[in-house]
Amino acid sequence: ESRERLSVCSKLCYAVGGAPYQITGCALGFFLQIYLLDVAQLDAFYASIILFVGRAWDAITDPMVGFFISKSSWTCFGRLMPWIIFSTPFAVISYILIWFVPDISRGQVMWYLVFYCVFQTLVTCFHVPYSALTMFISREQSERDSATAYRMTVEVLGTVLGTAIQGQIVGKADTPCIESPLFIGRTNSSVALEELNMTYDTRLLTDTRNAYMIAAGVIGGLYILCALILWAGVREQREASELQLDEPVSFFQGLKLVMNHGAYIKLIAGFLFTSLGFMLLEGNFALFCTYTLGFRNEFQNILLAIMLSATLTIPFWQWFLTRFGKKTAVYVGISSAIPFLIMVAVLDSNLIVTYIVAVAAGISVAAAFLLPWSMLPDVVDDFKLQHPSSHGHEAIFFSFYVFFTKFASGVSLGISTLSLDFAGYKTRGCSQPSEVNFTLKMLVSAVPVVLILLGLLLFKLYPIDEEKRRKNKKALQDLRQESNSSSESDNTELASIV
């Protein structure tokens, strides 16, 4: 038993590997929409296309990468680690280019679309094998749960870093806005004044663009550092996930088996809707704070308050799910966000109240981060008991779990940005029409609440409670002992023959 235990150092190094995905994902999730609209100055329609296609492509690449990983051979570094290391430098380069405004009159839309999709492909080559690594660091369920808690703590800390680095660096720059449209037929003096204002705005816009590039460089450096720590401190255990029985079946046979596993489908269905609710909130919160609440210079600090609150409450939720069970933690943790989502839209704009709501909402964000990744290994164990002769499908479980969530989030984020265009969103406007403000309220309050409620209702169908989880753990241990005994008997018989 002591041999199966992971050291604190190993858990920390493993956990650090989850930070790059969250740091970059948080920066893109919170800031890319407002960057495309107000800094790159793209039309809202084209911004919606970039966000939708990028997220949809990101979803498609997950099962593709999962397929290629399942075909990968074991090396001296493992089967998953080479994917993580070799994708890192190219991912950093493409990430920095997303935040660069090219000096071209045409082709800006294609620039952002191409590099956004390239980055999503490369970060998938990092994150899918990293997620599947959970099943290869230990055979003990308790050790995997503990490592997952470490990972979730660091990942939420990664969102704090992403929010702090991107928000604080960009927040130092004053993004110019347009008070009113330009009218024809003004006097020469007013035209000269307008030209002076335009020159001032151009300088401010250049400062803002430089701030985005600096933030991208800092985040890129952290990405590389975390990948190196993961590579140096974690070793894959080939026998940790395999029961050493038969040869693994093909990818498509494995995919059919996985998709017919009821517990997996029900887990996806439940968390699909709850994840969508939080992703809609994430994608539109910067615009909501800037225009609807009127906190143009405070939204990055409000985001930071949410993420700090989430980071500090991850250990509490780990204790809670251990004490009361994972399904209970889902109902209590995620549903607690509902009153605060309603409150932020109903109450009048007040900075102190907004900060209080942000801190309280961060508690639910922590539960939404921790619970899906804590429960997915239980589904994999349940699958192994039902299909003991089929192994090597961990990447399929993790990649398709992410696929459904990302694809749906791409659709929702594209539709939400398009709805802002229909509502009359004004690029670089200091204020927005009332229709835009109403749309933003719906996107960060009413729609997420409905999605979370649907997710919790679907989650009641999830069959793995604490009693079943304990039975699965014991049965899996017995199966492994039987497999090891059979292997030792074969080795003894071979030795006697020799």
Side-chain angles (χ1 to χ4, degrees):
E1 182 179 357
S2 61
R3 184 171 57 86
E4 293 293 338
R5 291 189 178 277
L6 295 172
S7 67
V8 174
C9 181
S10 296
K11 292 177 184 179
L12 286 173
C13 291
Y14 165 74
V16 166
Y21 182 78
Q22 297 300 337
I23 293 174
T24 56
C26 183
L28 290 168
F30 280 124
F31 292 91
L32 183 59
Q33 185 185 51
I34 196 170
Y35 168 82
L36 293 175
L37 293 173
D38 288 355
V39 180
Q41 300 182 34
L42 298 182
D43 185 84
F45 174 75
Y46 294 115
S48 68
I49 292 177
I50 293 170
L51 294 171
F52 166 69
V53 174
R55 287 291 186 103
W57 175 251
D58 184 23
I60 294 171
T61 57
D62 282 287
M64 289 171 57
V65 171
F67 170 77
F68 288 117
I69 289 174
S70 68
K71 295 297 182 181
S72 300
S73 301
W74 282 84
T75 67
C76 58
F77 299 109
R79 189 174 71 176
L80 305 174
M81 198 64 72
W83 286 83
I84 295 172
I85 295 302
F86 291 121
S87 66
T88 294
F90 303 103
V92 170
I93 293 172
S94 59
Y95 176 79
I96 292 174
L97 291 176
I98 292 175
W99 303 103
F100 176 73
V101 180
D103 189 15
I104 50 178
S105 57
R106 294 183 179 181
Q108 276 195 346
V109 175
M110 287 303 301
W111 173 280
Y112 292 114
L113 185 59
V114 167
F115 284 109
Y116 190 30
C117 290
V118 169
F119 171 73
Q120 297 290 13
T121 303
L122 292 168
V123 79
T124 298
C125 292
F126 182 104
H127 190 62
V128 169
Y130 173 75
S131 298
L133 192 62
T134 307
M135 305 302 298
F136 290 86
I137 57 176
S138 176
R139 287 188 298 183
E140 287 295 319
Q141 187 184 74
S142 59
E143 290 299 296
R144 294 201 304 261
D145 285 346
S146 177
T148 299
Y150 276 80
R151 171 191 166 187
M152 291 301 106
T153 303
V154 174
E155 286 197 0
V156 177
L157 182 60
T159 65
V160 174
L161 284 175
T163 305
I165 293 170
Q166 189 84 7
Q168 298 304 315
I169 293 177
V170 171
K172 299 295 183 182
D174 185 15
T175 305
C177 61
I178 300 173
E179 289 288 353
S180 60
L182 301 178
F183 296 98
I184 302 175
R186 294 168 298 181
T187 62
N188 292 334
S189 59
S190 64
V191 171
L193 180 61
E194 184 62 41
E195 290 177 352
L196 180 62
N197 290 336
M198 290 295 290
T199 302
Y200 178 71
D201 288 350
T202 301
R203 182 177 63 80
L204 289 179
L205 191 59
T206 301
D207 292 342
T208 302
R209 291 172 176 176
N210 290 338
Y212 273 98
M213 286 296 294
I214 293 171
V218 174
I219 289 175
L222 287 175
Y223 193 119
I224 294 174
L225 178 63
C226 292
L228 291 175
I229 292 174
L230 175 66
W231 173 76
V234 177
R235 290 292 178 267
E236 293 178 57
Q237 301 179 28
R238 183 171 185 172
E239 70 279 2
S241 180
E242 298 177 359
L243 294 176
Q244 309 293 343
L245 295 175
D246 297 330
E247 290 296 319
V249 299
S250 69
F251 175 83
F252 293 104
Q253 289 174 319
L255 178 60
K256 184 179 179 180
L257 289 173
V258 168
M259 289 303 164
N260 286 330
H261 189 58
Y264 181 61
I265 297 301
K266 291 166 185 174
L267 182 69
I268 287 178
F271 277 115
L272 176 63
F273 286 97
T274 56
S275 298
L276 279 178
F278 285 103
M279 287 179 181
L280 269 179
L281 177 64
E282 177 190 64
N284 295 281
F285 194 74
L287 291 173
F288 176 75
C289 288
T290 300
Y291 295 113
T292 304
L293 298 182
F295 303 139
R296 175 178 292 272
N297 298 322
E298 287 288 337
F299 78 88
Q300 67 271 13
N301 297 323
I302 298 171
L303 295 177
L304 188 58
I306 294 175
M307 294 302 132
L308 281 173
S309 173
T311 303
L312 295 175
T313 50
I314 281 283
F316 166 77
W317 287 118
Q318 176 62 22
W319 168 83
F320 191 93
L321 67 87
T322 303
R323 178 68 176 82
F324 299 101
K326 296 180 181 180
K327 288 189 70 171
T328 304
V330 167
Y331 293 127
V332 175
I334 295 180
S335 63
S336 62
I338 294 176
F340 300 107
L341 292 176
I342 297 173
M343 191 182 302
V344 76
V346 172
L347 295 179
D348 294 332
S349 178
N350 184 290
L351 186 58
I352 296 177
V353 172
T354 302
Y355 272 109
I356 294 174
V357 171
V359 171
I363 299 173
S364 294
V365 171
F369 264 89
L370 174 65
L371 292 168
W373 296 110
S374 178
M375 299 173 76
L376 193 53
D378 299 337
V379 175
V380 178
D381 287 341
D382 187 67
F383 176 84
K384 288 177 182 177
L385 288 175
Q386 296 186 25
H387 306 278
S389 62
S390 180
H391 56 83
H393 306 312
E394 292 80 9
I396 299 177
F397 275 99
F398 285 87
S399 61
F400 272 90
Y401 179 81
V402 177
F403 165 79
F404 289 111
T405 303
K406 286 183 177 178
F407 187 83
S409 71
V411 174
S412 64
L413 191 56
I415 292 175
S416 67
T417 308
L418 197 60
S419 65
L420 292 176
D421 185 36
F422 290 149
Y425 181 87
K426 297 189 300 181
T427 300
R428 290 181 58 197
C430 292
S431 60
Q432 297 293 338
S434 58
E435 293 82 1
V436 173
N437 292 327
F438 176 78
T439 302
L440 287 171
K441 282 188 176 182
M442 293 296 101
L443 292 174
V444 302
S445 179
V447 179
V449 166
V450 172
L451 290 171
I452 288 172
L453 289 174
L454 284 174
L456 293 177
L457 288 174
L458 288 171
F459 196 77
K460 290 184 69 66
L461 302 174
Y462 178 68
I464 303 178
D465 53 16
E466 288 304 297
E467 182 180 357
K468 184 173 178 60
R469 193 167 73 91
R470 286 192 293 268
K471 290 180 179 179
N472 285 352
K473 178 182 178 180
K474 185 178 185 305
L476 201 59
Q477 288 174 344
D478 294 341
L479 192 59
R480 286 197 176 105
Q481 290 174 0
E482 180 182 346
S483 174
N484 292 335
S485 299
S486 176
S487 177
E488 291 174 2
S489 176
D490 291 342
N491 292 336
T492 303
E493 182 179 354
L494 178 61
S496 64
I497 293 174
V498 173

